[in-house]
Amino acid sequence: GTARVTRPIQTAPALSTLAALLSAGSPLTAAEVALATGCPRATAHRRIRQLRRAGYVLQAVKVRHGMRGPSARAYAVVDKNRR
């Protein structure tokens, strides 16, 4: 197979994404993360994907009502202290 190239996570944008997710109090969609951080939606998706791969963010079980596809997915910060 082919090796997958992983970009390093840029610290400041990653922290702003994590801060948005933490301050929300409930899972956010990528569009909501984009709005909260002032970045384009595609950038929010990329940051969330990178944070998911690193184990900091997870996809919430529930999705937003009335929405379908990737837009309906909501994300939250992983609680590393839960066991």
Side-chain angles (χ1 to χ4, degrees):
T2 59
R4 183 183 213 157
V5 178
T6 304
R7 293 181 188 171
I9 297 176
Q10 295 179 347
T11 306
L15 289 175
S16 70
T17 302
L18 289 171
L21 289 165
L22 283 168
S23 66
S26 64
L28 297 178
T29 64
E32 291 168 329
V33 169
L35 186 63
T37 60
C39 72
R41 192 178 303 181
T43 301
H45 276 285
R46 185 177 66 249
R47 289 178 186 169
I48 290 167
R49 183 174 57 247
Q50 290 174 328
L51 290 166
R52 283 184 69 195
R53 287 183 184 150
Y56 294 106
V57 171
L58 56 83
Q59 183 175 331
V61 175
K62 292 187 177 184
V63 296
R64 303 287 186 194
H65 286 295
M67 299 174 76
R68 304 176 100 190
S71 298
R73 295 183 188 128
Y75 303 93
V77 176
V78 172
D79 183 352
K80 299 274 186 175
N81 295 318
R82 281 184 75 183
R83 298 196 185 234

